Amino acid sequence: MKREIAALVLLCAVFVSPPLFAEAHGVFSGTNREAKRHRDMPAILMYHDVMDIQPETDAMRQVIAIRPEHLEEQFRYLEDNGFKTLFVSEFAGLIGSEMPKKSVVITFDDGLTDVYEVVLPLIKKYNIKITVYANPGFNGTNGRMSYAQIKKLHDSGLVEIGAHTMKHANLMLADDDEARAEIRYSKGVLQEIIEAPVTSFAYPFGKFGYREEKLVADEGFRIALAADHSHGKNYRNLLSLPRTNIGEKTSLKEFIRILRGL
Ligand SMILES: [Zn+2]
């Protein structure tokens, strides 16, 4: 139920929020040249749950979650068509220089057990790199991975771990100290778990403003990800990188269109 509520809130953040909705109409409102420049950049894809869902499953769940078979179809497409996957940190390091042709950035939010149980075998099979934004405040509860599972993901070499606050806090509703603590401790705990630096952050519910960007930067993150693509592939601000949600309702045709930025 909690996950359903989280999905609902996320949906609101991504698809219903009036300002975002209004901005969505401006996805490719720039010049054709600008649109082409953005097309040449990799898309950043955002996934959540990977689970068996049926056609009659509620519509919101179908937007947020994806069936394992459907995810594998997408991974197979990437392999068959020569797409290179980049960690978020690799991608950010390449901004301003030449990006590899046909590349994509794949992210999974919330550090759900689905990622360990279902996605890890698939990324090994297709040699795909992903970045996982985890909430270390849960450690094996609320459908989240345990610390040991997070460490195993990291040790696979195919997963970069990013921070997503301790307990999936809506930072916009937290006071300065609470927001800072959620950001700081999620970074610190995750670094202890994986014994490596955690350099990127994803805003829970995609909720952030200038204060949150500043707090994230103050805590040493160079990169932070939003949860919408209303700015298309405008990657100028590393503290609000846009992402495109992928779920069960995303057809292969739509997936290809997103990859190509059309
Ligand atoms: Zn989240």
Side-chain angles (χ1 to χ4, degrees), residues 229-262:
H229 62 287
S230 55
H231 297 291
K233 290 182 183 173
N234 182 341
Y235 297 137
R236 269 175 287 212
N237 183 354
L238 288 183
L239 294 175
S240 64
L241 291 174
R243 293 187 288 174
T244 303
N245 182 72
I246 306 291
E248 186 60 19
K249 286 183 92 76
T250 310
S251 66
L252 187 60
K253 192 175 166 189
E254 172 76 357
F255 182 74
I256 294 167
R257 189 188 69 75
I258 291 164
L259 288 176
R260 293 180 176 167
L262 298 175

Side-chain angles (χ1 to χ4, degrees), residues 44-45 86-95 105-107 129-133 160 199-201 222-225 238 241 243:
I44 309 179
L45 310 182
L86 300 171
F87 290 138
V88 166
S89 64
E90 291 179 306
F91 163 71
L94 286 168
I95 290 178
V105 181
I106 299 178
T107 68
K129 289 181 185 172
I130 63 171
T131 302
V132 173
Y133 290 95
E160 178 169 277
T199 58
S200 72
F201 182 87
R222 285 195 316 115
I223 312 152
L225 277 63
L238 288 183
L241 291 174
R243 293 187 288 174

Side-chain angles (χ1 to χ4, degrees), residues 48 109-110 135 144 164 168 203-205:
H48 285 82
D109 277 15
D110 300 353
N135 304 121
R144 262 65 165 199
H164 196 45
H168 211 271
Y203 302 101
F205 312 107

